[in-house]
Amino acid sequence: MSVRTDSSAPHRAGFACFVGRPNAGKSTLTNALVGTKVAITSNRPQTTRHTVRGIVHRPEAQLVLVDTPGLHKPRTLLGERLNDVVRTTWSEVDVIGFCLPADQKLGPGDRYIAAELAGIKKTPKVAIVTKTDLVDSKTLATQLIAIDQLGKELGIEWAEIIPVSAVDAEGAARNPSPEAGARGAGQVSLLADLLVPMLPESPPLYPEGDLTDEPEQVMVAELIREAALEGVRDELPHSIAVVVEEMLPREDRPADKPLLDIHANVYIERPSQKGIIIGPKGQRLKEVGMKSRKHIEALLGTPVYLDLHVKVAKDWQRDPKQLRKLGF
């Protein structure tokens, strides 16, 4: 059945996913398209661990974005599981966007992913050149040619090759300016224009106001994790996991002054890392709490009391039992 928005065009709805090596700009692109903070972004590779769906609503279409972890050569059990998540996702979507940063030459990681993509025959593939705000037009042209060439070598027929600056579109560019913001928004909107015709005819899959179908607890945990990573990226790049134990409305509060109590545990791999997360006199953890609380309140639209505890889960990235407990 198709829903018609006007007499000529059928309504389309479907799933697109962005792939690319870690830190290729996939989460930033998802956020820019949806227009709000859905996937967590970090300038540290390997931060997205959950498949986060962002939903782009248009009168004539609904584009559901599935943000996968970066595909990479796995070194731990966690790495292997993340790669399995990626491949499963690829086989289930209507269009794949392969993100390649403009400011980095194509490397073995990109070729590894492209070779995997070449094996998926039916799904249309769009090459998306991200981070164009970081390069000049000559470097960008060279990158576009290299991507075209890569497709020819591997037998991938790109449905489109499109440059975007999602950072400009998010209004979070390194040198924010109205011109950059407008330019980025135009590029991101053009990307959505190109993806929509590749979706099947279908009524909307989600209600109008929905932006993501991730359980709120998972999104809250991701926001806390992003804040916890902020100042300690070099020391603890991937040793942090967050589990929200409970989210409960505070009892005995007047209806016009609700308060949500959130109790969460920040897990690290070794006792020696505890001091790094907590900081001198607990200052670091306090900042993590303040920062993430602001984002959580914006996400949930309600005041929040956030109770954070730091716990050690020894070598959790390599231990199947711990991985299960932490939701992987």
Side-chain angles (χ1 to χ4, degrees):
M1 161 191 162
S2 68
V3 175
R4 293 183 180 271
T5 50
D6 61 51
S7 55
S8 59
H11 188 279
R12 294 180 180 274
F15 295 85
C17 79
F18 296 138
V19 303
R21 59 193 158 89
N23 203 23
K26 300 181 296 292
S27 295
T28 306
L29 194 53
T30 298
N31 291 340
L33 273 161
V34 177
T36 187
K37 199 174 180 64
V38 178
I40 73 161
T41 56
S42 148
N43 52 17
R44 194 88 207 176
Q46 269 323 95
T47 45
T48 314
R49 296 218 179 105
H50 295 278
T51 302
V52 177
R53 295 172 175 81
I55 303 164
V56 182
H57 299 273
R58 290 183 154 206
E60 79 291 1
Q62 191 179 70
L63 177 64
V64 184
L65 302 167
V66 186
D67 187 36
T68 56
L71 190 79
H72 61 298
K73 290 206 167 129
R75 286 192 295 276
T76 61
L77 181 63
L78 172 66
E80 280 172 37
R81 291 214 180 149
L82 292 175
N83 277 2
D84 290 341
V85 168
V86 177
R87 290 193 192 94
T88 308
T89 305
W90 290 4
S91 60
E92 293 167 354
V93 297
D94 301 297
V95 54
I96 297 170
F98 182 19
C99 295
L100 300 129
D103 64 332
Q104 294 163 38
K105 285 199 163 111
L106 299 186
D110 299 313
R111 289 177 183 282
Y112 174 72
I113 294 167
E116 294 263 342
L117 280 178
I120 297 170
K121 296 295 180 208
K122 286 188 184 134
T123 317
K125 297 160 204 69
V126 175
I128 303 166
V129 187
T130 59
K131 309 189 183 186
T132 56
D133 53 303
L134 301 182
V135 299
D136 57 27
S137 52
K138 191 171 168 225
T139 310
L140 179 58
T142 308
Q143 186 72 325
L144 294 171
I145 293 164
I147 291 166
D148 183 50
Q149 200 47 49
L150 177 68
K152 288 193 172 102
E153 278 169 35
L154 295 169
I156 298 172
E157 199 174 314
W158 302 118
E160 299 280 354
I161 300 178
I162 178 169
V164 296
S165 167
V167 170
D168 282 348
E170 273 201 309
R174 284 145 192 79
N175 308 303
S177 75
E179 297 80 22
R183 187 176 66 243
Q187 291 172 345
V188 168
S189 171
L190 176 63
L191 173 62
D193 292 342
L194 293 170
L195 296 177
V196 163
M198 298 178 199
L199 305 176
E201 291 185 20
S202 157
L205 304 166
Y206 290 87
E208 180 59 41
D210 287 11
L211 294 173
T212 175
D213 75 347
E214 273 292 277
E216 283 177 347
Q217 267 177 251
V218 173
M219 291 185 72
V220 166
E222 290 284 78
L223 289 171
I224 295 169
R225 189 162 164 269
E226 182 177 26
L229 274 171
E230 200 115 310
V232 297
R233 300 189 193 292
D234 299 329
E235 296 133 299
L236 311 177
H238 299 298
S239 308
I240 298 173
V242 175
V243 176
V244 173
E245 296 297 336
E246 60 178 13
M247 282 170 46
L248 297 168
R250 176 84 55 96
E251 288 178 15
D252 310 324
R253 294 282 292 198
D256 59 340
K257 287 194 177 161
L259 184 68
L260 190 66
D261 285 319
I262 298 179
H263 300 277
N265 291 328
V266 178
Y267 288 95
I268 45 180
E269 294 196 292
R270 290 186 290 286
S272 60
Q273 297 170 337
K274 220 169 174 174
I276 300 172
I277 284 285
I278 293 170
K281 297 187 176 163
Q283 197 48 40
R284 173 91 197 83
L285 191 64
K286 205 167 155 186
E287 278 166 28
V288 170
M290 278 159 55
K291 195 154 204 162
S292 55
R293 197 184 76 231
K294 225 165 65 192
H295 287 307
I296 294 165
E297 289 181 338
L299 174 76
L300 303 177
T302 181
V304 160
Y305 168 77
L306 184 58
D307 176 39
L308 288 181
H309 293 272
V310 179
K311 300 195 167 188
V312 178
K314 201 168 168 346
D315 292 331
W316 65 265
Q317 293 197 51
R318 295 170 194 280
D319 176 349
K321 217 159 86 198
Q322 302 265 29
L323 279 172
R324 265 199 307 281
K325 185 180 154 197
L326 298 175
F328 299 111

